[in-house]
Amino acid sequence: HVRTTARRATLIPLVADLREPDRPEDTVLVGEAHTAMETALHQLSDGERADILAYYDAVPSPDHQAREATGALRVRMARIRAKLRLEYLLAFRHVELPSEQCRRVLLAVSAGDTRRQRKLQAGQHLLHCMTCAALSEPLSKRSSALTAFVVPVAQIGRASCRERV
């Protein structure tokens, strides 16, 4: 019985691999998503990247716990995630915004900040700017399926380490 088990263990790698091979389009999409995430992370300030790392840290420091208890970190993280969603979508779709007004409107849409949207007259802007109209739907739904947005902590850590070097 032991010999049979050992023989099977040595012969198993020689048996045909039944896994699906990686499709080229999947490989390209993963590479583009990775590049878009790196580009979006580089658009954040050093403080914003540090807040993301502190927020997603597996073993939070006492200072981090005190800030989180006040809620200030949660509010800041909501703003940072909204900015990161916008930057990722722009990088993933290779879009250049026509004006700074577009960035402010899309950031308000991404954050779900209806007060800022009213102040910026986002509805009128979206009616007249086709670029923002196309980008506002995935930002307003905040759907990971629409924007393919994920915040992998390891990738954030890698990006912040590259910044230090």
Side-chain angles (χ1 to χ4, degrees), residues 97-98 102-103 105-106 125-126 129-137:
L97 293 176
C102 293
R103 183 172 296 281
V105 166
L106 289 174
H125 181 80
L126 293 175
C129 181
M130 297 310 293
T131 304
C132 292
L135 294 172
S136 67
E137 184 180 351

Side-chain angles (χ1 to χ4, degrees), residues 41-60:
L41 286 169
H42 288 297
Q43 297 296 322
L44 297 178
S45 69
D46 292 335
E48 290 169 334
R49 277 193 297 269
D51 283 343
I52 286 176
L53 288 173
Y55 189 77
Y56 289 107
D57 192 10
V59 183

Side-chain angles (χ1 to χ4, degrees), residues 7-41:
R7 187 172 55 247
R8 282 188 184 150
T10 58
L11 295 177
I12 285 286
L14 302 177
V15 177
D17 188 9
L18 299 177
R19 291 179 293 162
E20 289 278 327
D22 290 339
R23 296 185 326 200
E25 57 268 14
D26 291 342
T27 305
V28 169
L29 280 176
V30 168
E32 283 186 15
H34 181 75
T35 303
M37 181 58 76
E38 282 184 355
T39 303
L41 286 169

